[in-house]
Amino acid sequence: MQDVVQEELALSLKGRDFLMLVDYTPQEIRYLIDLAIDLKRKQKAGETHHLLKGKTLGMIFEKSSTRTRVSFEVGIYQLGGQGLFLSGNDLQIGRGEPILDTAQVLSRYLDGIMIRTFAHRNVVELARGATVPVINGLTDLSHPCQALADYQTILEHKGKLEGLKVAYVGDGNNVVHSLMMGAAKLGVNISVATPEGYEPDADMIQQSKEHAAETGATIHICRDPKEAVADADIIYSDVWASMGQEAEQKERELAFANYQVNEELMKYANKDYMFMHCLPAHRGEEVSEGVIDGKHSIIFDQAENRLHAQKAIMAAIM
């Protein structure tokens, strides 16, 4: 019976876009996490797993990246396919070609498209015009690949997801939007502490709460980092000024002055807490060196799992 369920889940994912976690059922998300863990095991054991032999992934980058580019390029190679780097400046969309036209042309050449961009509408428009699966590598609204890798990492370290508490301290950005939806879908409780004016998007909060009601998870937004971190199993932080917000750096440093994740704040968490950060990190700013480089930090396991989670996404939908 379990094999039948797995086959049905595999079929449900084939040919799908991966734009936001809200588009996927809890069972489909857990299937992807389990697939990522299995592909990771195969890679570590040196087993060949060319599930996408002869297939090509086009990777559009309008935002530069370390982890996203390397993990997708290595991932498609390990799956037996090929990755093609496409800078936004090199494509005709950088000179005004409609995204719908670009989507239709690329679909004639490629088996899948990943895009890392600013406006979320660009990903939606690309997916609308493409006839091959489109993967959201990051937008200003959502970062589903990161969240999938994060929950894979938590599962590996904690042995479960349901009922755990994740505390996010910092800016209410694209990362926390996907973390909240992932928590809602997977039965994880999440508490988010942000300064006034830097809360997660109201629609993202509402959507997450609606889905959390179905799994028994809780979505809590507050101002006090101590309140968020109290009895938390996972503490998560991100930079205060994301790419494209560099002009706001000084203003944000003032607003987030009391939101550093440090040893003092960690006293409120569970003793066996794990610290996570999607990287790149600014040590001494959003997180102290003692925390990010300490024994509770799992940031590099988390970074590695971008490779395995994205391989699962590509293998499932391409």
Side-chain angles (χ1 to χ4, degrees), residues 93-150:
I93 54 175
R95 300 174 59 191
E97 181 176 52
I99 292 177
L100 283 175
D101 288 0
T102 298
Q104 293 185 65
V105 169
L106 291 180
S107 295
R108 304 294 180 102
Y109 304 143
L110 304 168
D111 301 290
I113 304 169
M114 187 284 299
I115 181 170
R116 180 179 167 94
T117 186
F118 290 90
H120 190 75
R121 65 178 177 273
N122 291 346
V123 175
V124 175
E125 191 82 345
L126 187 69
R128 189 162 71 89
T131 56
V132 297
V134 172
I135 300 170
N136 175 5
L138 174 142
T139 68
D140 288 346
L141 182 68
S142 178
H143 201 353
C145 292
Q146 180 68 57
L148 192 70
D150 291 340

Side-chain angles (χ1 to χ4, degrees), residues 179-305:
L179 282 174
M180 287 193 306
M181 184 54 68
K185 295 275 188 172
L186 294 166
V188 177
N189 303 312
I190 187 167
S191 189
V192 179
T194 68
E196 186 174 359
Y198 295 93
E199 303 88 351
D201 179 84
D203 287 340
M204 293 294 99
I205 295 172
Q206 183 59 35
Q207 281 186 40
S208 297
K209 286 185 174 180
E210 289 172 2
H211 287 279
E214 299 173 10
T215 62
T218 59
I219 312 293
H220 178 61
I221 313 297
C222 63
R223 295 271 175 260
D224 187 358
K226 294 176 184 176
E227 179 184 339
V229 167
D231 300 320
D233 301 291
I234 304 293
I235 317 300
Y236 201 118
S237 183
D238 193 6
V239 293
W240 292 339
S242 298
M243 192 179 297
Q245 299 172 333
E246 290 82 1
E248 304 173 25
Q249 179 67 32
K250 293 300 180 185
E251 176 187 339
R252 284 173 171 264
E253 285 178 7
L254 291 173
F256 288 92
N258 296 321
Y259 287 80
Q260 185 187 76
V261 173
N262 52 38
E263 292 85 340
E264 184 62 31
L265 183 61
M266 293 304 91
K267 292 178 182 178
Y268 295 88
N270 284 338
K271 289 184 178 179
D272 61 347
Y273 79 87
M274 300 290 186
F275 174 75
M276 302 180 76
H277 193 300
C278 56
L279 301 179
H282 296 163
R283 286 167 170 78
E285 193 170 299
E286 73 273 5
V287 58
S288 68
E289 290 186 10
V291 170
I292 195 170
D293 297 321
K295 65 180 182 179
H296 295 276
S297 178
I298 53 173
I299 60 170
F300 296 116
D301 291 342
Q302 178 187 3
E304 179 191 342
N305 281 342

